[in-house]
Structures are given as C-alpha cells and as structure tokens.
Amino acid sequence: AAFAFAEPGRRFVLDAQGVKVRGGKISGTKQFVLGGGAADLFVVTAEEDGKTGLYVVDAKAADVEVRPYPVADGGVAAIVTFHDAAAKGPLSADLGAVIDEARLMAAAEMTGIAQRLFADTLEYLKTREQFGQPLGRFQVLQHRMVDVLLEVEQARSAVINAAAAIDEDDRVAREKALSAAKYSIGRIGTLVAEESIQLHGGIGMTWELPLSHY
C-alpha cells in the first residue's frame, strides 16, 4: 500500500480539498505518492460531506492513472489521478496520529542515515593517507568529527524523546516532541551530510560511494 495525501499547490496541508468522494467514487489528483508506482492499494485522504477521511482504492483499477517518476534518493514516487474510481471507507484511523507516526519514522530514518554518514567518514579518515599519515591524525579534522558526533547524538536524543511521547494523550506535548525531532534532524542531517562530503574530498561527490546516496 502507498499513502496518497499531498495535493498540488497544497504543501503541508492535510485536509483534502482537491480529491473528493461522492457516492463511493473518488476523483482528483494526488502528488508525491512515495512507492506509488509499485503499489497494489492506495490509502487516500479525500473529502466527503465536508470532512477529510481515509479511503482505500485499488491501484490497478482502470480508472486510476499512475504516473511514476524517480526522486533524488533513488526511489520512486508517483502522481496519481482518480477518475471516479471505487473507494472503500472512510477508515476509522486518526489521520493526525498516522502523520505523527510517519514524522517519527522519517526522523528516525534520517538519524540512522546521519549515524551511518559519521561512521563511514570516520573510517575514511582512519584509512586515507595524506602527507604520509592517516587524515585522522590531523587535529583540525578530529575537532570537526567531534562536533559532528555531538550533533548526531543530539538528533538521536530528540528522536528518542519523540518516540517516548508518541503515545501521549496530551496532543500538544506530543506535537512539541515531534516538532523538536523534525527540526533537529532537518538541521543536523544537512550539517552531517555536508561535513561528510567535504571530509571525503572530491570522492565524496561520486555516485560510486554509498555516501552520496545517503
């Protein structure tokens, strides 16, 4: 299954307006549907009787148009258009809770990526020799790696805090913890990626290394 919630021109807005369900039929377009090109089912946010709900649609139906395209990380997303396709629902799931869990999973994945980037860069500095000694012997590079490690640990702590809060009954407290994790890894992930590429030198830009894909 693939989750279809983003609509053209409506970034960060969860309430569906461009996709509607009428009489069990769904119409409209969703964009940036991750994994959409390979999905058997779409779980779609759609508006019915003035309320946004979750509906299930057969991805292989003739009245569902799927246009896949590659994204920067090597995966595939899709633009999906529903032409009065049959829709089952609404589901009983809490859309806000679904999105909160997705945010947590994305933050955890990005933290794992940052940890991997740090580990790969540390290994490179230990083994790559310049001027007759490993790069890791140079104190200025050691200081940069210590800074990166502290940032990665900060992101990890923010994600652990968000994971602990995900089941909180207090929605405000949950949102604060999730927003802190999202902000932290957004800033730190960028920093770690840039530092990793720079410390690898010219080879950091090559597609042959896992580094550039991360």
Side-chain angles (χ1 to χ4, degrees):
F3 186 33
F5 71 95
E7 296 183 2
R10 290 173 52 78
R11 292 187 71 194
F12 311 120
V13 178
L14 297 181
D15 290 339
Q17 290 187 358
V19 176
K20 301 181 184 297
V21 173
R22 299 291 183 268
K25 300 288 187 180
I26 188 169
S27 296
T29 297
K30 294 290 187 180
Q31 67 177 10
F32 199 62
V33 181
L34 289 173
D40 298 309
L41 295 172
F42 291 121
V43 179
V44 188
T45 55
E47 181 270 322
E48 183 176 21
D49 298 330
K51 295 180 180 180
T52 297
L54 290 168
Y55 297 82
V56 176
V57 182
D58 180 2
K60 307 300 183 184
D63 37 21
V64 176
E65 180 185 355
V66 181
R67 289 172 285 169
Y69 61 91
V71 291
D73 68 357
V76 178
I79 298 171
V80 181
T81 302
F82 306 99
H83 303 281
D84 284 330
K88 296 178 181 179
L91 305 177
S92 61
D94 178 350
L95 177 58
V98 170
I99 295 298
D100 284 348
E101 291 185 5
R103 288 189 179 118
L104 176 60
M105 288 188 287
E109 179 184 41
M110 291 175 68
T111 301
I113 288 172
Q115 291 175 315
R116 175 62 187 268
L117 287 172
F118 173 82
D120 283 3
T121 304
L122 183 62
E123 181 65 22
Y124 179 77
L125 294 179
K126 288 178 177 178
T127 56
R128 176 72 166 91
E129 291 194 358
Q130 191 74 32
F131 305 112
Q133 60 182 327
L135 288 174
R137 293 269 183 88
F138 294 97
Q139 195 172 52
V140 66
L141 300 186
Q142 293 175 4
H143 290 168
R144 287 174 69 173
M145 287 300 288
V146 169
D147 290 341
V148 170
L149 176 61
L150 292 174
E151 295 284 1
V152 170
E153 287 301 311
Q154 182 178 329
R156 187 168 173 268
S157 295
V159 170
I160 290 172
N161 186 55
I166 193 69
D167 293 324
E168 285 278 349
D169 293 330
D170 185 346
R171 173 138 196 153
V172 174
R174 186 170 75 240
E175 290 289 344
K176 283 182 177 179
L178 286 164
S179 294
K182 181 179 177 181
Y183 168 78
S184 296
I185 191 56
R187 178 186 66 80
I188 292 169
T190 301
L191 170 69
V192 175
E194 290 174 347
E195 285 290 274
S196 297
I197 289 173
Q198 289 181 18
L199 290 170
H200 272 79
I203 195 174
M205 296 296 293
T206 63
W207 285 95
E208 287 80 1
L209 283 187
L211 174 77
S212 57
H213 299 277
Y214 284 117

